[in-house]
Amino acid sequence: MRSERTWIGLAVLGLLGLCFLAFFNQLGTLGLMDKTEGLFAEIPRQMLLTGDWVTPRWNGETFFDYPVWGYWMVAISFRVFGTTEWAARLPAALAASFTVLALFAVVFALSPQSQPLRQRLGRATLAGSLLALSPGWIAWGRSSVTDMFLASAITLALLGFVLVDQAAPPLAAKRLAPAQQLGYGCLALFSAVAVLAKGPVGVLLPGLVIGVYLLLKGTLVPHLRQAPWLPMVSLFLGVTLPWYGAATVANGFDFLSRFIGYSNFQRFTSVIYSHPGPPWFYLPWVLVFLLPWSLYLPVAVIKLRFWRLAVWRQPASSQDLSLFALVWLVAMVAFYSAAATKLAGYILPVVPAGVLLVCLLLQPLASASPLGFGLRISGWINAALLGAAALAIALVPRLLRQEPDYPFFAQALIHTGLHLWLPLVLLVAALVLAWLLGRTTHLPWVWLPNATALSVVLAFAVPMALPVVDRERLLPIRTLGAVAGRVMQPNDLLAVVGFKRYSLLYYSNHSALFVTNPQEVLDALADQPGAGQVYLFGTERELRNFGLTNASFQLVARRGHHLLITATPAALRHAL
């Protein structure tokens, strides 16, 4: 028993190290990314400044696009660690890491006890590693936005149902097994957290996945009868109702109409914020979010033979977890594809489902037919993709083009030398993968060259590239935002020209207009008779397109091609 605990502890430590590389390494190096991250860091900062933890506010107005869970987590992090980029991203990184460990724990718990510890632990570690090394999970696990809070909460809720569905005793038993009690508790608790993170979709999506799965299995009615509804509903409402009730009392119909009507119903039925997309919009994003594991999804799905009803109706089948993951993946892609408004981050909750399918293809819970032709095809595509990526990185000096607003970025990136050694890492991974594909007994290890290459990128390439990205692209905004915060008076007007750099509000501690022409600034001045000076922020190109010339404004500060200037109303009228 002590030896078993030691090995489990080592596996957990290994996953924690992987999570450090994926989510915490250089976490605070980049300034806030515009637009979204700048917005989601500013709202928690306002909560701390105003002391109002009920009503989200941004840019001087209430902001009801999303509920408060993510804002609360970031605000608490700000209070504990200070208002820094690292603190803003810490809660998302913790949520991503916790989900990795939860997936490890559930897969380990469901592995047959008759199997050797090495096999059970290897399967569970593989599941956690694939999730930690999925590009979508890495990107959103390092960003201060709400998508990771929703995705992690939905994942934890569905893993709770997995414990219910897979655990003994059978449905006919009068008492629930401890694992089932824990599962129902997680399902209710984390569905509630998801509703606090993003709204009704937090309970609709788990309900959709579970409902479709149980209908296909033919066990919907027994599960409905078995579920401890009173404690589950009590827990769910106990978590969600206090804030929703307080927000309704504080803001009345305005909250209900904007949050439920606009941010939820209208987001699904019509395009808002100019984010349309075709019905197949999310298919390439699933491929990208799960690369390279997504290359093996077709084999994993076909191997299930899901089109046969008999496959679904087998009682207590070893395939049940894979079938549930398939429903999880397909139902969520279908749901978001039906929505009119489409954003890549919406599909993040499908990443753990894809990871489960690939993990159980390579390390099935029970003995299965040998991996063969289909996996080899996917593997050779994987090796070719590694080779193509190596070639593309090696050609970076020839492919990169100088950007007018960031003229030194391309050269600075080349000076890191990444294009000299990173292609070698990817080529070695491709060669090792090709060697594994030539040996049938080694096919379950096709994930290893990919995981090793990704770990090298996270450990060495990320610390080299991110400081360059920050210095050349983000530091000017941060620096000039701080200057604006020092020189501007409360009644002064700050206008951001061109691209909507929401992070400027965070760095300047000042509200702002986001404008594309001088008339918008003049209209704002007319609405504010007591307004002071007009400050404008933009790049040289943006200000020139705005109609302002060097002779028509006064320079306050400059960083690279980014300028903070003042302009008189007369100069703005002349720019029309």
Side-chain angles (χ1 to χ4, degrees):
M1 181 63 70
R2 180 176 297 177
S3 175
E4 180 173 322
R5 286 198 298 266
T6 300
W7 283 109
I8 293 174
L10 289 174
V12 170
L13 283 175
L15 283 178
L16 287 174
L18 203 55
C19 287
F20 172 80
L21 289 179
F23 311 119
F24 296 93
N25 186 24
Q26 303 288 318
L27 183 63
T29 297
L30 290 178
L32 295 176
M33 303 289 289
D34 287 315
K35 304 181 291 188
T36 310
E37 202 178 30
L39 185 151
F40 286 112
E42 172 63 9
I43 294 172
R45 194 182 71 87
Q46 289 297 324
M47 283 186 166
L48 284 183
L49 289 175
T50 63
D52 185 352
W53 292 67
V54 172
T55 303
R57 289 182 174 85
W58 181 76
N59 206 16
E61 298 178 350
T62 55
F63 187 83
F64 294 129
D65 278 32
Y66 305 102
V68 292
W69 181 264
Y71 307 145
W72 281 351
M73 296 300 101
V74 176
I76 292 170
S77 182
F78 280 165
R79 173 161 287 182
V80 174
F81 301 107
T83 51
T84 65
E85 292 86 351
W86 181 86
R89 296 173 181 135
L90 177 64
L94 290 173
S97 301
F98 186 78
T99 310
V100 167
L101 295 177
L103 185 65
F104 162 84
V106 169
V107 172
F108 182 74
L110 297 182
S111 295
Q113 294 296 312
S114 58
Q115 294 179 348
L117 174 64
R118 178 178 59 83
Q119 186 177 359
R120 291 183 287 133
L121 206 53
R123 180 186 299 113
T125 305
L126 174 61
S129 300
L130 296 186
L131 181 57
L133 293 173
S134 295
W137 210 251
I138 294 171
W140 268 262
R142 301 177 63 93
S143 304
S144 183
V145 294
T146 60
D147 298 283
M148 178 51 73
F149 298 115
L150 176 70
S152 59
I154 285 178
T155 299
L156 294 170
L158 291 175
L159 290 179
F161 171 77
V162 166
L163 291 178
V164 171
D165 186 58
Q166 299 288 309
L171 292 171
K174 293 183 178 180
R175 291 182 60 84
L176 296 174
Q180 290 176 311
Q181 295 175 16
L182 174 63
Y184 279 124
C186 289
L187 177 58
L189 174 63
F190 290 109
S191 292
V193 170
V195 169
L196 275 180
K198 211 85 179 256
V201 72
V203 69
L204 287 176
L205 281 178
L208 174 66
V209 172
I210 293 169
V212 171
Y213 170 75
L214 292 179
L215 281 172
L216 290 170
K217 290 290 292 181
T219 56
L220 178 61
V221 173
H223 267 280
L224 290 176
R225 290 173 177 169
Q226 173 189 260
W229 288 107
L230 182 59
M232 286 178 66
V233 172
S234 298
L235 177 58
F236 178 85
L237 295 179
V239 173
T240 57
L241 277 187
W243 177 75
Y244 279 94
T248 303
V249 169
N251 301 281
F253 182 74
D254 184 44
F255 165 69
L256 295 175
S257 63
R258 288 169 58 191
F259 176 69
I260 301 296
Y262 181 75
S263 295
N264 285 272
F265 181 75
Q266 194 170 340
R267 188 184 296 267
F268 190 87
T269 58
S270 59
V271 177
I272 65 173
Y273 298 135
S274 301
H275 292 301
W280 45 264
F281 175 85
Y282 288 111
L283 296 182
W285 284 111
V286 171
L287 175 68
V288 171
F289 277 22
L290 279 158
L291 270 178
W293 326 127
S294 53
L295 301 175
Y296 301 92
L297 274 177
V299 182
V301 171
I302 292 171
K303 198 173 178 64
L304 289 174
R305 289 179 164 77
F306 65 91
W307 54 88
R308 298 180 179 177
L309 185 61
V311 170
W312 296 92
R313 295 303 167 90
Q314 295 180 46
S317 167
S318 61
Q319 284 192 316
D320 282 353
L321 184 55
S322 294
L323 292 170
F324 181 71
L326 176 62
V327 174
W328 179 347
L329 178 73
V330 173
M332 288 194 181
V333 171
F335 176 86
Y336 280 117
S337 296
T341 302
K342 293 180 172 67
L343 280 170
Y346 291 173
I347 208 68
L348 191 63
V350 310
V351 172
V355 161
L356 268 176
L357 283 167
V358 175
C359 171
L360 296 176
L361 167 71
L362 300 176
Q363 297 287 340
L365 289 173
S367 58
S369 57
L371 301 171
F373 182 69
L375 187 69
R376 280 195 171 91
I377 292 177
S378 297
W380 284 113
I381 295 173
N382 186 174
L385 188 64
L386 286 169
L391 179 62
I393 295 172
L395 294 176
V396 157
R398 297 184 180 182
L399 298 176
L400 279 181
R401 294 291 182 266
Q402 189 180 76
E403 300 178 71
D405 295 339
Y406 307 97
F408 307 113
F409 174 66
Q411 199 60 37
L413 203 57
I414 291 171
H415 283 166
T416 63
L418 288 173
H419 65 287
L420 298 176
W421 64 266
L422 193 52
L424 295 177
V425 173
L426 299 179
L427 282 176
V428 169
L431 292 173
V432 173
L433 179 56
W435 180 79
L436 292 172
L437 292 171
R439 289 154 177 78
T440 302
T441 56
H442 290 45
L443 287 179
W445 291 93
V446 293
W447 62 273
L448 187 57
N450 293 290
T452 304
L454 286 167
S455 298
V456 170
V457 170
L458 291 169
F460 299 103
V462 166
M464 296 173 69
L466 292 191
V468 172
V469 175
D470 180 69
R471 183 181 71 244
E472 298 297 330
R473 304 186 73 94
L474 303 176
L475 184 59
I477 301 171
R478 194 159 68 244
T479 302
L480 295 181
V483 172
R486 289 196 301 269
V487 302
M488 291 183 67
Q489 300 301 312
N491 64 330
D492 288 340
L493 189 67
L494 175 61
V496 180
V497 177
F499 183 70
K500 295 180 179 178
R501 299 172 179 89
Y502 290 165
S503 64
L504 206 64
L505 278 70
Y506 176 91
Y507 292 121
S508 68
N509 192 27
H510 203 287
S511 59
L513 291 172
F514 298 94
V515 298
T516 56
N517 63 77
Q519 188 60 54
E520 293 174 282
V521 183
L522 293 171
D523 291 343
L525 287 172
D527 294 336
Q528 302 176 35
Q533 280 191 294
V534 177
Y535 288 79
L536 296 103
F537 174 90
T539 64
E540 289 179 329
R541 177 182 54 83
E542 288 169 332
L543 293 172
R544 185 170 57 253
N545 293 339
F546 194 70
L548 294 173
T549 62
N550 291 343
S552 61
F553 62 78
Q554 181 179 349
L555 180 66
V556 177
R558 179 188 187 113
R559 183 80 188 206
H561 284 242
H562 293 73
L563 284 71
L564 178 67
I565 65 172
T566 60
T568 64
L572 292 169
R573 283 191 290 270
H574 186 266
L576 287 172

